[in-house]
Structure formats: structure tokens, C-alpha cells
Amino acid sequence: MPVSATASTIIGACIAIAASILNAVGYTLQKDGHNKRNSYNRNNNKQKKLYQEKTWCIGFTIFILGGLANAVALYFAPQSLVLPLSAVTLVANTILAVQILGEPFIKISVCGIFLVIMGSTLAVIFGPRTGGEHINIDELKDRWTDPPFLLFFAFLSLLAILDYIGIKYYERKN
């Protein structure tokens, strides 16, 4: 049974989000495996190899499954949709690192999570809807009269300027 373009895009987006979460779980379990192995090796004469740590192996397997799921997502949806959704990995990784690894959650992380979500959302909303499109110069010129695009462009420009100012401020401070 053929799937409509809209349904295919939704399927691809859901798979991409699931793949990103799998990747984050895999990263977190791999780090937990590293930590367990390092702790074991500090306290024992017999050194444990990384591949002998079950937690690391499970994390690596989950990470591989996430990569395969990303490839499947690209079958259903264009890269312009799948790639921004992979930023979910950063959000999930931040949350999992706090929950599983006991890493501290600092207030600035909330700002980072918000920016990642906003950037992904904007990229999905304003990005191309299908893959393989050829954009010509006339279409690019038309974008400069499209208010949502201009708002998006202004937001990104402001963000880049604020980023530059922030970097210069911290460089002087340190």
C-alpha cells in the first residue's frame, strides 16, 4: 500500500526522533560503562577491557541501532527534516546524563535546551519539505519578500551577533 508524502514525512520524523533518543541512550550507557570499567580497573589487579564491560556493549549496540534508525528515517523523509531533528539527541543526552550518570544540571542547560528545540523547530518549519529540489535564483529572491523567512533570518542574524558578543565578553573576562 503506497504511503502519501505527508504520511511518509511524519513517519520519517517520528523515526528520526526515536533514533535521536536511542543515540542519547547509547552515548549515556557507553559513558556509564567507561566509568564502571575505570572504577573496576582502579580497584583490581586484573584490568578489564572495554568490550568486557556489559554496560558499554549494550550502549554501543543501542547507538548502532540509533544510527540504523536514522538511515531508515532518511528513506521516509528528506535530510532537511531528519538532520534538525537529530538535535533531540543533545536534549535527551542532557537529561539522561543527570538521571543516569548523576551529572549536575546547571541553569544554563535550560537555556541551551530551549535554543536547541527552537532551532530545530524553526529549521523544520522553514526548511524545504521535500528532498532533491533545485532552487533557482528567482525562488531565492522571492524568499526576501516572505515575512516568515525574514523573521527567521533576522532571528538567526541576531543570534549570531549575540553569540559573537558573548564570546568576546568571555574572552576579555578570562
Side-chain angles (χ1 to χ4, degrees):
M1 178 170 117
V3 178
S4 72
T6 302
S8 180
T9 300
I10 292 170
I11 291 168
C14 290
I15 293 171
I17 291 169
S20 294
I21 293 170
L22 283 172
N23 282 337
V25 170
Y27 289 144
T28 304
L29 290 177
Q30 283 181 295
K31 182 165 184 188
D32 190 40
H34 274 282
N35 292 344
K36 286 179 180 177
R37 185 202 60 158
N38 289 343
S39 176
Y40 178 88
N41 286 348
R42 273 192 300 272
N43 299 322
N44 293 290
N45 290 334
K46 184 180 176 192
Q47 298 295 297
K48 192 182 224 184
K49 303 275 188 214
L50 191 57
Y51 61 83
Q52 294 172 317
E53 177 55 53
K54 289 180 185 177
T55 305
W56 185 87
C57 291
I58 291 168
F60 185 72
T61 303
I62 291 171
F63 174 75
I64 295 295
L65 291 173
L68 292 172
N70 260 325
V72 171
L74 287 170
Y75 174 77
F76 288 100
Q79 182 181 7
S80 59
L81 174 73
V82 172
L83 187 60
L85 290 175
S86 68
V88 171
T89 301
L90 298 172
V91 174
N93 197 39
T94 301
I95 295 166
L96 291 170
V98 171
Q99 296 298 318
I100 295 174
L101 301 173
E103 292 184 5
F105 185 79
I106 54 177
K107 291 180 182 179
I108 196 74
S109 294
V110 174
C111 180
I113 288 171
F114 174 76
L115 289 173
V116 166
I117 291 170
M118 286 301 299
S120 292
T121 302
L122 291 171
V124 169
I125 290 171
F126 294 109
R129 300 279 188 261
T130 60
E133 289 182 11
H134 296 288
I135 298 174
N136 61 35
I137 192 70
D138 293 326
E139 291 174 29
L140 290 174
K141 287 179 185 177
D142 288 342
R143 283 290 197 180
W144 289 102
T145 60
D146 183 20
F149 174 77
L150 291 175
L151 181 65
F152 177 63
F153 181 78
F155 174 76
L156 285 182
S157 298
L158 178 65
L159 190 61
I161 291 167
L162 290 174
D163 187 39
Y164 178 78
I165 291 169
I167 289 170
K168 290 300 177 187
Y169 171 78
Y170 283 110
E171 283 177 350
R172 277 193 219 134
K173 195 173 180 180
N174 295 325

